[in-house]
Amino acid sequence: MASDHHDKQPDTHQVSLADKYDLAKDRVFLSGTQAIVRLLLMQKARDAAAGLNTAGFVSGYRGSPLSGIDVQLQRAKAAFDNAHIVFTPGLNEDLAATAIWGAQQAEMRGEGRFDGVFAIWYGKGPGVDRSGDVFRHANLAGTSRYGGVLALMGDDHTAESSTTAHQSEFDFVDKMMPILSPAGVQELLDYGLMGFALSRYAGVWVGLKAMKDTVESTASVSGAVGRIVTRVPDDFVMPPGGLNIRPGDGILEQEARLQEYKRQAVVAWLKVNHLNHIIMSGGRSPRIGILTTGKSYLDVRQALDDLGIDEVRASALGLRLMKLGCPWPVVPDELVAFAAGLELIIVVEEKRSLIEVQVREELYGTPNQPVVIGKHDEQGAWLFPVKGALDANDIAVAIGTRILARTPDAEVAAAVARLKAAQVALAETRDAGVRIPYFCSGCPHNSSTKVPEGARAYAGIGCHYMAQWMDRSTEGYTQMGGEGANWIGEAPFSKRGHVFQNLGDGTYNHSGVLALRFAIAAGTNITYKILFNDAVAMTGGQHHEGGLTVAKVAAQVAAEGAQRLVVVTDEPEKYGSGTLLPSGTKVFHRDDLMSVQRDLAAVGGVSVMIYDQTCAAEKRRRRKRGEMVDPDKRVIINELVCEGCGDCGVASNCVSVQPLDTEFGRKRKIDQSSCNKDFSCVNGFCPSFVTVSGARIKKAETRPMLEAQGSALPEPQPRQISPDRPFGILVNGVGGTGVVTIGAILGMAAHIEGLGCGMIDMAGLAQKGGAVFSHVKLATTPEGIHAIRVAAG
């Protein structure tokens, strides 16, 4: 950037938001999910250039860190239609995987309209668990010669927005599916193209690691269609008939092909395409080797930067670095070559040991075998723990300590001391306050999750999970789709005779109806509260697959044999004559919720209450788009009348009811900027509430520019970005305060100026008022950015 803003403006590039999917554009600004969309278009273009008439297919199920991928895929419909790429959202993950399996059979019997169908499956960690049976069958069967399959495993290593921390690689290893682990947005494109080529050659499904630090980050990347060139091995002999999918394939023949040929074909392909390679050679006398992959590779590069070690310094210190693009299976010859001459190998990988165990296995019995450390150090103590995520500072200390044990170096010693101090300070830092995520203003769950006194409810997967953090007598949950099945096992041994089970409409549609069917079959005494919010709110407000409606849900549960079925809603007038509800279904206003629940609890067997109220956040969006009527009224609190009892907040459980400190003590007010006009706050017994119709919120008075008052605005002092060290910015706040927007503006500005930039939003449950952090890295080139998170110090 220019040091004098008056003398020289930064060079800028012509940039359009449409660039991301314009294959004529080389340098583009992409998020990880947008990279997946561009990857599909690039594969189609590459096939066309090779004379192939292929099509594409995508299916899966959203969930953080892949929560927004379906939204990006839907927005690309016009481009997809032109490229013969079909996106069909999966009802759940295993059905989506089965559809992908089917796409590989499209031309197998001579009935296909295309030469092949390349395909992508996506799902977060629990979806990988769920789809294991399909993966096993489909990988045994194989892929099409001109098709190929990538399976995106969305892993949440620190359970930021999941009920468990996930590592999915071992699921893929069990099915003998090779795994590619990209480090950043650029490698999502590069490894994706390589993955399709590998999948076609070896007839296997290829796993693509998609964790938060890659798929939820944003960066300037090269999107050139011809950037990646792949080769076919000339030293591997294919078995008769090849390795791809075929009709009339015997079960044991599939097993033999997988076990005897496919893994060897994968290894042969990896060798000639150099997906694994040595980054730093270690000079003439290498002593320490670092082996790493994916996000951990970025952490290692950041660690080396913090230690002041570039390639020249690494050669002087005898430090060798190898990056595995494919952490399973490793290529034995490459591993042996990497280990040659080393005294110590440090394996840096998150979660369980996948690479380390392969290193020990492949090097066992070799001459001058080096010491191998990773999860544990030389004495057996924890080094890089299995839990949580790795930190670049800790990695730097571990590497630096072992360098100093062999080669005294003042610069490295000073860096290690500084980093240790930063980690001590980090460990000793305590949050001054914690912002707990909460239901949005006007959220249906503010009312729907209440239960009668003495009753107990179970939570489930969805926004209503947060009821466990509130005074709702709600405790315990299951995996997605298991809601209520836990009570089937608990009920025969419990003194309690009945429970309520909250079940979101998205989860019901995904798999929850099976648990309800199980409860009916088992004769369990339980009331399912199906919370119909007309949107999959937790992942972005997507519509339900299949056009789910209250009437459809009611018909389904009635057909399953529910003992009693009721609908509770904030708009009972919607259910007039002609409404297609099963015979005997009663409709109640949400004000009658408690009495309705008490009646249902007295019914033996499985009873069902469908609570119908649209998601508040989705209401707000639809009203802005003119798709839903915006009530022409507002509620305000007369602070002179308000006695500050807080009953309005208790009645509504709404975060728009906020404290107001006055000279007469603490009162209450309605935050009109966040209010979604649910009006449940008026149920509190209070004469201070005033309903105003036909009014508009008064806009703040604009102040004249300082310049107009004769005082020029000072030019900000530009920040110099060092060519050898990126500049880190940490933006923080709470949901809805523009934190993510600030990061996006900074990133796009850097992209326009031709700088390297990378961003990741630590949003978690930010849309529910939780804490938000945006990590922004700026560098003179994209290659100058390694770990995308800003570390302590």
Side-chain angles (χ1 to χ4, degrees), residues 70 93 476 628 744:
D70 55 345
E93 296 88 350
M628 180 176 277

Side-chain angles (χ1 to χ4, degrees), residues 14 64 101 130 148 174 183 228 330 341 388 404 418 425 442 458 468 484 489 536 572-573 578 663 683 759 767 774:
Q14 292 298 316
S64 181
W101 182 13
R130 181 183 181 90
D174 183 52
I228 297 298
V330 298
L404 294 173
R418 176 177 55 81
Y458 281 110
Q468 296 179 100
V536 189
E573 62 274 9
E663 58 182 314
N683 293 334
M759 307 174 311
Q767 64 173 332
S774 278

Side-chain angles (χ1 to χ4, degrees), residues 471-496:
D471 186 17
R472 294 292 162 110
S473 299
T474 301
E475 181 185 2
Y477 59 91
T478 66
Q479 81 287 359
M480 191 172 190
E483 285 85 349
N486 53 324
W487 179 243
I488 296 172
E490 180 183 350
F493 315 104
S494 174
K495 297 177 182 178
R496 181 176 291 274

Side-chain angles (χ1 to χ4, degrees), residues 351-695:
K351 298 300 184 184
R352 291 169 57 195
S353 302
L354 175 61
I355 298 172
E356 187 179 348
V357 293
Q358 294 179 87
V359 172
R360 295 179 187 277
E361 179 182 353
E362 296 297 340
L363 297 184
Y364 180 76
T366 59
N368 303 314
Q369 180 181 343
V371 173
V372 179
I373 62 173
K375 293 297 108 180
H376 297 90
D377 65 14
E378 295 87 341
Q379 285 73 45
W382 284 111
L383 181 61
F384 301 130
V386 175
K387 65 181 182 181
L390 298 185
D391 181 278
N393 285 359
D394 289 330
I395 295 171
V397 170
I399 295 172
T401 300
R402 282 152 185 84
I403 290 173
L404 294 173
R406 291 164 174 80
T407 308
D409 186 286
E411 291 183 21
V412 173
V416 169
R418 176 177 55 81
L419 293 167
K420 282 183 176 180
Q423 293 305 87
V424 169
L426 179 65
E428 293 176 349
T429 300
R430 297 291 177 265
D431 292 331
V434 177
R435 179 66 175 253
I436 299 175
Y438 212 78
F439 296 147
C440 301
S441 297
C443 176
H445 302 319
N446 282 326
S447 300
S448 66
T449 55
K450 294 179 180 178
V451 295
E453 185 175 354
R456 181 161 66 83
Y458 281 110
I461 303 302
C463 296
H464 60 92
Y465 177 92
M466 292 186 288
Q468 296 179 100
W469 308 334
M470 306 168 197
D471 186 17
R472 294 292 162 110
S473 299
T474 301
E475 181 185 2
Y477 59 91
T478 66
Q479 81 287 359
M480 191 172 190
E483 285 85 349
N486 53 324
W487 179 243
I488 296 172
E490 180 183 350
F493 315 104
S494 174
K495 297 177 182 178
R496 181 176 291 274
H498 171 274
V499 297
F500 290 95
Q501 174 64 60
N502 296 322
L503 176 61
D505 48 356
T507 301
Y508 172 89
N509 205 30
H510 174 277
S511 52
V513 64
L514 296 176
L516 187 148
R517 182 181 300 163
F518 182 22
I520 291 174
T524 304
N525 191 18
I526 186 173
T527 297
Y528 275 92
K529 296 167 68 174
I530 301 176
L531 310 175
F532 192 92
N533 307 316
D534 196 24
V536 189
M538 206 162 211
T539 56
Q542 296 94 327
H543 292 293
H544 295 298
E545 288 76 17
L548 194 69
T549 64
V550 170
K552 285 183 178 180
V553 175
Q556 288 169 359
V557 298
E560 293 290 353
Q563 294 297 313
R564 186 172 298 177
L565 170 63
V566 302
V567 174
V568 176
T569 176
D570 61 335
E571 299 177 284
E573 62 274 9
K574 293 192 302 186
Y575 296 93
S577 59
T579 305
L580 298 177
L581 291 176
S583 176
T585 305
K586 294 183 178 180
V587 179
F588 298 90
H589 193 278
R590 70 177 181 183
D591 291 346
D592 300 321
L593 176 65
M594 288 303 166
S595 61
V596 169
Q597 289 184 106
R598 282 190 286 267
D599 290 345
L600 293 176
V603 175
V606 176
S607 55
V608 176
M609 179 187 79
I610 304 174
Y611 187 97
D612 174 23
Q613 184 180 336
T614 302
C615 164
E618 192 58 26
K619 270 186 182 179
R620 194 181 189 94
R621 296 186 189 107
R622 293 178 188 177
R623 287 167 178 170
K624 285 184 177 180
R625 294 193 294 257
E627 298 172 1
M628 180 176 277
V629 175
D630 189 359
D632 192 17
K633 67 176 183 178
R634 290 185 176 274
V635 171
I636 63 172
I637 297 175
N638 186 336
E639 64 182 71
L640 296 176
V641 179
C642 173
E643 296 182 353
C645 68
D647 190 45
C648 50
V650 173
S652 64
N653 199 49
C654 182
V655 294
S656 284
V657 179
Q658 297 184 352
L660 175 66
D661 291 323
T662 72
E663 58 182 314
F664 301 108
R666 174 163 288 190
K667 305 300 185 83
R668 296 294 184 274
K669 68 174 181 178
I670 305 296
D671 181 356
Q672 298 295 335
S673 66
S674 64
C675 176
N676 285 322
K677 300 181 181 179
D678 175 63
F679 303 125
S680 57
C681 54
V682 301
N683 293 334
F685 182 73
C686 183
S688 67
F689 275 74
V690 179
T691 302
V692 181
S693 299

